[in-house]
Amino acid sequence: MDLDELISALGNATFENYVGASTGFSEIAYQFSSHVLTFGFAVMLAALLYFVLTIKTVAPKYRISSVLSVVVMVSAFLLLMIQQQNWTNAMVYDLEAGRYVLGDGRDLFNNGYRYLNWLIDVPMLLFQILFVVTLTTSKFSSVRNGFWISGTLMILTGYYGQYFEVTSPGTFFFWGIVSTLFFIHILYLMRKVIKEGQVGAPPKAQQYLGLIWIIFLFSWMLYPIAYVMPYIFGITEAALNEWAVMLRHVTYTVADIASKVIYGILLTLTAQEMSKADGYDYEKMENAI
Ligand code: RET
């Protein structure tokens, strides 16, 4: 089938399905993708225990941050597990071709479960830092509202746009750009929160906050990169290849681990330093846990 025939058969299905229906996937590409997706949700369950078990190492006023990490881990674990199952359900092994191909009459693959996960996790991750830092000039409620309104709109516009990644590049990029405007607003707010949070914080906490900004910027930028991944490789018959699919799974998984788990751990470490400065030092307590 050429690209036009594929488009009439698959319509608004995402790029992964187009590869599945044209070249299909080699054993390594298919299994590797499945393993990366599995790794992603296994990390969430493991990290859930970290956030539960370390909750008493920070003073009570910082504990909501750990609670929010727990909420993030549970939702990510469930939705990423379903995302992985969606991958294995969509593809079947074709004995004649010796490759995994898009299964006829099966569910197609779609990254939508990720977007649902972000809808829960993005506001939680953004609120989380507000329970660790003390804002000096900004108002808590206006930052909080900016975070969740821009966060939600960023995801919903991207969710709609991703349906058009093959059929209508114009629509795909239009919604991608609208989504990016909300993203820029979030980056602006986060930078402000971190700068204000550093003022008056203990030196080690200041360092952690600097690191949090770097991890935040790096990991959140990976999501739009994964969104445009098919275009980095090109959407032509020749470019329908399994590398773009594998790289997209990897990019999303690295982004998820960095933006949820590493970020959450760094916030716990920051809160531990702040707790110590407030006179709550878990290392010196006998009945802390
Ligand atoms: C989209 C659409 C294309 C443009 C941009 C996007 C940004 C997505 C981001 C998602 C962050 C998700 C996180 C999830 C953690 O659980 C929607 C891909 C800018 C930044 C942090």
Side-chain angles (χ1 to χ4, degrees), residues 10-20 102 108-112 162-166 230 248:
L10 289 172
N12 285 344
T14 51
F15 175 75
E16 291 85 353
N17 303 285
Y18 280 79
V19 178
L102 195 67
L108 297 183
F109 180 76
N110 185 269
N111 283 300
Q162 55 111 26
Y163 281 105
F164 300 92
E165 65 184 27
V166 181
R248 194 187 238 181

Side-chain angles (χ1 to χ4, degrees), residues 115 117-118 121-122 125 154-155 158 176 179-180 183 220 223-224 227 256 259-260:
Y115 288 71
N117 172 233
W118 306 342
D121 289 356
V122 161
L125 292 168
M154 172 184 83
I155 295 157
S179 173
T180 304
F183 182 42
W220 284 52
Y223 293 93
Y227 181 86
D256 276 344
S259 70
K260 301 182 222 262

Side-chain angles (χ1 to χ4, degrees), residues 261-288:
V261 179
I262 300 179
Y263 169 83
I265 293 175
L266 287 172
L267 276 176
T268 303
L269 297 176
T270 310
Q272 284 172 353
E273 291 307 320
M274 292 185 168
S275 303
K276 280 182 200 164
D278 296 343
Y280 182 100
D281 188 345
Y282 73 97
E283 282 167 355
K284 299 206 176 97
M285 289 176 192
E286 290 188 352
N287 302 317

Side-chain angles (χ1 to χ4, degrees), residues 4-269:
D4 286 338
E5 285 170 321
L6 284 173
I7 288 179
S8 64
L10 289 172
N12 285 344
T14 51
F15 175 75
E16 291 85 353
N17 303 285
Y18 280 79
V19 178
S22 61
T23 59
F25 296 94
S26 64
E27 169 69 7
I28 295 183
Y30 168 83
Q31 298 292 0
F32 176 76
S33 300
S34 177
H35 296 158
V36 167
L37 294 171
T38 305
F39 178 69
F41 73 77
V43 169
M44 300 302 150
L45 189 60
L48 170 66
L49 291 177
Y50 170 87
F51 292 115
V52 171
L53 294 171
T54 56
I55 195 160
K56 287 192 175 162
T57 65
V58 302
K61 70 172 181 180
Y62 301 114
R63 289 184 191 164
I64 296 291
S65 167
S66 303
V67 172
L68 291 177
S69 272
V70 168
V71 172
V72 166
M73 292 304 115
V74 172
S75 95
F77 171 71
L78 282 174
L79 284 160
L80 294 177
M81 184 163 73
I82 292 176
Q83 185 74 69
Q84 191 274 343
Q85 289 173 356
N86 182 209
W87 171 255
T88 44
N89 287 335
M91 308 298 163
V92 291
Y93 190 69
D94 181 335
L95 271 176
E96 261 172 44
R99 290 176 80 81
Y100 288 84
V101 298
L102 195 67
D104 202 4
R106 310 276 289 257
D107 239 10
L108 297 183
F109 180 76
N110 185 269
N111 283 300
Y113 296 102
R114 295 194 177 283
Y115 288 71
L116 296 182
N117 172 233
W118 306 342
L119 212 48
I120 304 170
D121 289 356
V122 161
M124 297 302 133
L125 292 168
L126 294 171
F127 291 167
Q128 199 176 347
I129 193 164
L130 297 177
F131 291 97
V132 175
V133 302
T134 314
L135 297 177
T136 45
T137 50
S138 307
K139 248 183 84 189
F140 181 91
S141 60
S142 72
V143 176
R144 182 199 57 202
N145 291 344
F147 270 164
W148 82 257
I149 293 172
S150 287
T152 307
L153 292 173
M154 172 184 83
I155 295 157
L156 292 178
T157 49
Y159 174 75
Y160 184 66
Q162 55 111 26
Y163 281 105
F164 300 92
E165 65 184 27
V166 181
T167 47
S168 172
T171 317
F172 172 74
F173 279 105
F174 173 78
W175 289 109
I177 289 166
V178 175
S179 173
T180 304
L181 298 178
F182 295 115
F183 182 42
I184 292 169
H185 182 226
I186 294 172
L187 291 179
Y188 163 79
L189 286 177
M190 184 53 109
R191 171 114 189 119
K192 206 159 80 162
V193 165
I194 289 182
K195 283 278 154 220
E196 286 184 30
Q198 282 177 321
V199 178
K204 252 189 141 174
Q206 288 187 18
Q207 276 177 17
Y208 283 133
L209 284 167
L211 199 57
I212 287 173
W213 171 245
I214 293 168
I215 289 285
F216 181 85
L217 200 60
F218 158 78
S219 60
W220 284 52
M221 296 280 259
L222 291 176
Y223 293 93
I225 293 175
Y227 181 86
V228 297
M229 191 66 78
Y231 285 88
I232 296 176
F233 285 76
I235 300 216
T236 58
E237 265 162 75
L240 287 176
N241 80 67
E242 58 193 26
W243 287 97
V245 174
M246 283 192 284
L247 197 59
R248 194 187 238 181
H249 291 314
V250 171
T251 307
Y252 275 137
T253 304
V254 171
D256 276 344
I257 294 172
S259 70
K260 301 182 222 262
V261 179
I262 300 179
Y263 169 83
I265 293 175
L266 287 172
L267 276 176
T268 303
L269 297 176

